Amino acid sequence: MAKPFVNPFVSGQFLELRVDALVSDGRGLGRHDGVVVLVEDALPGQLVRARVDAVRKSLAEAALVEVLERSPDEQEPPCPHAGRCGGCSWQSLAYGRQLAWKERIVHDALERVGKVACPPMLPILPSPSEWGYRNKMEFSFGDEYKDGPLSLGLHKKGSTYDVLTAADCQLVHRDMNQILSCVLAYFRKWNVSYYKKMQHTGYLRHLLLRRGDTTGEILVNLVTTTQEEHDLTELKEQLLELPLEGKIVGILHILNDSLSDVVKSDETRILYGQDFFYEKLLGLQFKITPFSFFQPNSRGAEVLYETVREYIGDIENKTVFDLFSGTGTIGQVLAPVAKKVIGVEIIEEAVEAAKENALRNGLSNCKFIAGDVFKVLDEIEEKPDVIVLDPPRDGIHPKALPKILEYGVDRIVYISCKMTSLARDLEMMQMAGYRVEKMTAVDQFCETVHVESIVLLSHKSPDSKINVKVEFGEDDDKISLNAIAERAKKYQPKPKITYKMIQEYVEKKYGFKVHTAYIAEVKRSLGLTMYDASNAVEELNQPRKHPPKEKVEAIKDALKYFEVI
């Protein structure tokens, strides 16, 4: 009998190992004495010295101490903060190798978690721009070290407090870096405090910048508390005088007194211009507000949506359900070649933006509904021919996915920004009779571990059919299997009609609720069995309740509808 495995490592132990691969969260994977070790910030091909921080059942997690041998895939990162800033993790890895590893990580997740045998993957699609691609960035105010000078930028890797000034961030357009430097210099000059999360005191919280990649329109959002008052006129004038390639169309002062470190608005004051900007994708124009969801890589989004349009095929006379539709970008890209598009999104602000954008783009065959997909699908009378899914990072809720699959449409296109969530959902979809026809990864997040994936699924159909005639009996007494089936249908017991079904029917048709005791009373008056709701029976042990006439008629109508009477 084999001895049970005992992890040989202890926390604090130092190891030397060669890194062989990357895993989905970006850590390097190597082996020491045959045991897997995951090393933070390590790259494939490196020989590293690492310190064990955690010992798991079958592996160890370690921190990088020193690179003893460089990887042949390494490059000098262009950002001076690389390795310290939490914004990027793969700047030291050549872009071609980033793409190769992302493709492999997606493939492995499909096989291992999604149970997709030999995934039919097409080559990964790169971002049109490796640098300066982000159209949105949330910068934080703080300090680089305790009681240091005011900083504005991104958190240090592994820290929720220390902030590195990112005046030369490589992921955004240089216009954003100029604006950041201007804002930081202004508040340093006046020695304005930043909000301290633990003490809940201070003024400056965030600088949220959004820039249309195709339009050059810029929205500047300064987020502060209400604990101090400052005249921001001078800052506004300095921003408008900056020699930018694009154009500032709005400067907003967003007030946020929330205790949590989240960018939100209790009140928004427009200091200049408007509270939105426009961006264009694939010939369509989209209005974007400070908190609207929009793909952070505009050029990459065009590659993503063109691929969706290619995967979905001919939809000229088809109804498309765009579920988890956000601001309706995918639905509006598909609408010009579809019969109808119905989008469902839980965030009301996004739905209003989707409606406004559809109107602006002259699309009359789009309908956007605010609500939870799980609930809204019960209310939609139309049936889809094709479904597009673009859920949040955590995937589709386990209760919603079976309801989506019940439609049994021939094609589903699933878009995901988190491979492990996609793989988990694919396993259930395959159990429901769908198969992965093809898929590809689309890189929208260069220099990071993240990647978008697009999967085309089709409903399985038999390769061929044969007709077999089955008869029972002999000579003139023969009877076909179909005839037996028809007889069985006639004598099938009727499904049980529950009190809940009656209540739901009445509420939906008449707009009011009826108590189970009222239903029991009506059934008793009609000589029907009524003891299939325990609380109704309990009510009947009490003094009798006589339901109002309109409720009696509504209950009788429900009983007729369900063929009880």
Side-chain angles (χ1 to χ4, degrees), residues 272-288:
Y272 168 80
Q274 59 204 34
D275 62 352
F276 62 89
F277 71 101
Y278 289 110
E279 178 66 304
K280 291 182 179 178
L281 287 182
L282 299 175
L284 300 174
Q285 189 177 59
F286 296 93
K287 177 182 175 182
I288 304 170

Side-chain angles (χ1 to χ4, degrees), residues 164-178:
L164 290 169
T165 293
D168 45 8
C169 179
Q170 302 297 304
L171 298 188
V172 299
H173 191 278
R174 56 184 173 273
D175 283 354
M176 290 193 184
N177 287 329
Q178 285 193 64

Side-chain angles (χ1 to χ4, degrees), residues 475-490:
D475 300 326
D476 295 339
D477 294 328
K478 283 182 179 179
I479 182 170
S480 70
L481 186 62
N482 287 342
I484 293 174
E486 288 300 318
R487 288 184 185 180
K489 283 183 182 178
K490 291 180 181 178

Side-chain angles (χ1 to χ4, degrees), residues 9 29 83 105 132 147 226 232 241 245 410 412 429 472-473 533 535:
F9 303 123
L29 182 150
I105 287 168
D147 299 325
T226 60
L232 301 175
E241 290 172 0
E245 185 179 316
D410 290 337
I412 294 177
M429 297 171 88
F472 296 88
N535 55 337

Side-chain angles (χ1 to χ4, degrees), residues 152-167:
L152 175 57
L154 300 169
H155 288 278
K156 286 183 181 178
K157 184 173 290 186
S159 173
T160 57
Y161 299 103
D162 299 338
V163 174
L164 290 169
T165 293

Side-chain angles (χ1 to χ4, degrees), residues 189-249:
K189 173 185 174 182
W190 295 107
N191 196 29
V192 179
S193 67
Y194 72 89
Y195 180 74
K196 296 184 177 180
K197 291 179 284 188
M198 296 299 291
Q199 292 88 347
H200 306 305
T201 59
Y203 180 68
L204 300 168
R205 300 194 71 153
H206 300 94
L207 179 66
L208 169 61
L209 300 179
R210 306 196 70 160
R211 184 186 187 277
D213 190 57
T214 60
T215 63
E217 295 185 357
I218 303 168
L219 201 59
V220 179
N221 307 274
L222 176 67
V223 185
T224 76
T225 68
T226 60
Q227 295 180 24
E228 300 174 15
E229 283 288 339
H230 294 275
D231 184 354
L232 301 175
T233 304
E234 183 183 348
L235 174 62
K236 176 189 71 175
E237 292 171 352
Q238 289 181 15
L239 288 170
L240 294 175
E241 290 172 0
L242 289 173
L244 305 175
E245 185 179 316
K247 179 185 178 183
I248 294 176
V249 296

Side-chain angles (χ1 to χ4, degrees), residues 21-140:
L22 290 167
V23 296
S24 60
D25 62 4
R27 288 182 292 178
L29 182 150
R31 286 177 171 80
H32 190 278
D33 292 338
V35 180
V36 169
V37 182
L38 300 178
V39 185
E40 194 78 34
D41 302 325
L43 298 177
Q46 289 179 336
L47 178 66
V48 303
R49 187 165 185 259
R51 183 190 68 248
V52 175
D53 285 343
V55 178
R56 308 300 180 194
K57 184 176 181 180
S58 59
L59 56 83
E61 298 178 357
L64 178 66
V65 176
E66 182 183 1
V67 176
L68 303 174
E69 286 183 22
R70 284 168 60 89
S71 165
D73 298 330
E74 276 188 77
Q75 65 180 13
E76 287 301 321
C79 177
H81 302 302
R84 295 195 302 143
C85 174
C88 299
S89 53
W90 282 4
Q91 276 200 31
S92 299
L93 186 62
Y95 187 54
R97 298 305 298 158
Q98 290 183 36
L99 295 174
W101 279 109
K102 288 183 179 185
E103 186 174 300
R104 177 170 166 177
I105 287 168
V106 169
H107 183 279
D108 290 350
L110 281 173
E111 276 196 327
R112 184 172 50 83
V113 183
K115 304 296 189 292
V116 180
C118 301
M121 279 196 67
L122 299 176
I124 187 171
L125 300 173
S127 170
S129 301
E130 182 184 355
W131 306 102
Y133 62 85
R134 286 193 66 92
N135 57 39
K136 175 188 176 183
M137 190 65 91
E138 295 176 5
F139 295 113
S140 299

